[in-house]
Amino acid sequence: MSDGLWVYLATSPLLWLSGTLVIWIFATFLAGLRPGNPLFNPTLMSIVTIAAILYLTGIDYQRYFEGAQFIHFLLGPATVALGIPLYEKLALVRRNLLPMIVALTVGSLTAVGSTILLSEAFGFPQLITASLAPKSTTAAVAMAISESLAGDPSLTATVVVLTGICGAIVVTPMMNALGVRDYGARGFAVGLASHGIGTARAFAVNPVAGLFSGIAMGLNAIVTSIVVHLFL
Amino acid sequence: MIVGIATLLTFQLVGEILAYETGGLVPGPVLGMALIAIALLTMAKWQRVQSTQSQTIATSKAILANLGILFIPAGVGIVKHIDVLVAHGLALLALIVVSTVITLAVTVWSFVLAKRIFGGASDE
């Protein structure tokens, strides 16, 4: 490839938009080869790959985002779309209304509270604390909350993905060690603590756990956006 | 497809307007999520909106099935924070692990306890 062509393509949105899509497709293929391994997370693999490409080629993030913003924009409608599974599982929510309300309130307060306390104990600056606070909610919502708290949405996005992977890895051995056999409760906990990545893991372990996890993810998005204002 | 996208965007738009008018306490898309669930609930039996509903549900499922790709553009923004990672990487990782484990334990225990007190069913 001639230098001229590279300079031309690297400045066009087309290269980074198509590049993101192709890298994502390849990452989902790799993830499919290791379905039980939460470290083979396609979002994480894509982020690391693209970040490395930008770092090595010296392309700045602003330029990349000019192409990738078309994907980024869909976060809003995707958050609205989370209302559909919530509606479809309404009967299940009704039958477990009180346990869900209790676990949702206590869990959401714990997720946000423990994050802020630890962040302050580590002496992180306010910007980082605000970016970490909503880390248990699904990325679209977490980034919106982070922005409203004057945090940095891009730092939030990375931390949200790491939180999801952490929950997906520890949940099964941890719940077994705690002796909790109620898959509804286990699913609800992992969906609340680690959103969509935890929910994907819950569905792989048990269908009831998956359902409860998806419900917890949707409800926690709403509750966390209110709870953070009690702390920050 | 177009009807589904238009419906989702319209609910987001209404959510954003509400969020603006209420001082931004809850993000607009989250309000849109709550509104669309309520709308589906109240209009489930209206014949006139059946096709809009089924198209919106189909579009939503297509988007949710590929949710992971939507976080990439923002996540790549980590390149702007290499300094934060170098300075605080280990502490950040410790924070994520400790707070996730605490949250999992507290949530699962409160669910089990509340279910013992109030009752509930884990089936469909």
Side-chain angles (χ1 to χ4, degrees):
Chain A
M1 183 164 35
S2 72
D3 280 357
L5 179 64
W6 168 249
V7 170
Y8 169 67
L9 283 180
T11 55
S12 89
L14 178 64
L15 177 67
W16 301 113
L17 177 58
S18 48
T20 304
L21 290 168
V22 170
I23 288 168
W24 164 256
I25 291 166
F26 190 66
T28 50
F29 168 75
L30 279 181
L33 296 178
R34 294 270 184 286
N37 188 340
L39 275 177
F40 274 64
N41 178 276
T43 306
L44 184 73
M45 289 190 289
S46 303
I47 290 173
V48 171
T49 307
I50 296 168
I53 291 171
L54 295 187
Y55 185 76
L56 293 175
T57 56
I59 302 288
D60 72 11
Y61 177 68
Q62 211 50 46
R63 182 125 296 156
Y64 167 76
F65 194 77
E66 278 167 21
Q69 62 176 319
F70 302 106
I71 297 169
H72 180 78
F73 180 78
L74 291 173
L75 278 174
T79 306
V80 177
L82 286 171
I84 275 85
L86 212 53
Y87 156 74
E88 290 181 330
K89 290 161 197 163
L90 198 77
L92 200 59
V93 176
R94 271 205 193 124
R95 235 171 302 152
N96 292 279
L97 195 60
L98 283 170
M100 281 188 182
I101 290 175
V102 172
L104 182 64
T105 312
V106 178
S108 193
L109 285 167
T110 308
V112 177
S114 67
T115 304
I116 292 175
L117 281 179
L118 285 166
S119 183
E120 281 170 0
F122 282 129
F124 288 164
Q126 183 64 31
L127 173 84
I128 297 185
T129 305
S131 309
L132 296 181
K135 72 179 177 30
S136 277
T137 61
T138 186
V141 174
M143 287 161 62
I145 294 173
S146 169
E147 206 156 16
S148 77
L149 296 173
D152 186 315
S154 63
L155 181 59
T156 303
T158 311
V159 171
V160 164
V161 172
L162 290 174
T163 303
I165 292 166
C166 172
I169 294 173
V170 303
V171 63
T172 302
M174 183 181 152
M175 293 302 166
N176 289 342
L178 292 177
V180 177
R181 278 189 217 95
D182 181 338
Y183 277 97
R186 288 166 65 134
F188 197 85
V190 78
L192 185 142
S194 44
H195 53 88
I197 300 173
T199 301
R201 173 70 188 158
F203 269 115
V205 173
N206 180 289
V208 173
L211 273 179
F212 276 73
S213 184
I215 294 166
M217 169 173 77
L219 294 175
N220 193 35
I222 300 172
V223 172
T224 299
S225 60
I226 299 164
V227 161
V228 286
H229 294 283
L230 301 175
F231 292 94
L232 289 171
Chain B
M1 173 77 172
I2 298 291
V3 172
I5 291 174
T7 308
L8 291 176
L9 287 176
T10 306
F11 273 94
Q12 188 187 350
L13 182 64
V14 174
E16 297 286 3
I17 293 169
L18 271 178
Y20 183 86
E21 294 296 337
T22 53
L25 197 65
V26 179
V30 178
L31 289 174
M33 178 209 318
L35 288 174
I36 205 167
I38 293 168
L40 282 167
L41 194 64
T42 50
M43 297 195 272
K45 297 213 167 74
W46 286 17
Q47 286 305 323
R48 273 165 192 249
V49 292
Q50 285 306 309
S51 140
T52 308
Q53 281 187 29
S54 54
Q55 289 189 63
T56 305
I57 290 173
T59 306
S60 298
K61 290 197 168 154
I63 294 179
L64 293 178
N66 295 287
L67 200 55
I69 191 177
L70 307 185
F71 313 137
I72 297 173
V76 171
I78 197 68
V79 293
K80 292 191 295 182
H81 303 289
I82 298 293
D83 53 331
V84 174
L85 286 186
V86 170
H88 305 296
L90 271 181
L92 262 181
L93 218 56
L95 181 151
I96 289 171
V97 173
V98 172
S99 114
T100 305
V101 166
I102 292 174
T103 304
L104 281 171
V106 170
T107 309
V108 84
W109 280 329
S110 42
F111 193 103
V112 169
L113 194 67
K115 199 166 150 183
R116 212 167 281 162
I117 298 169
F118 303 114
S122 296
D123 49 46
E124 237 191 297

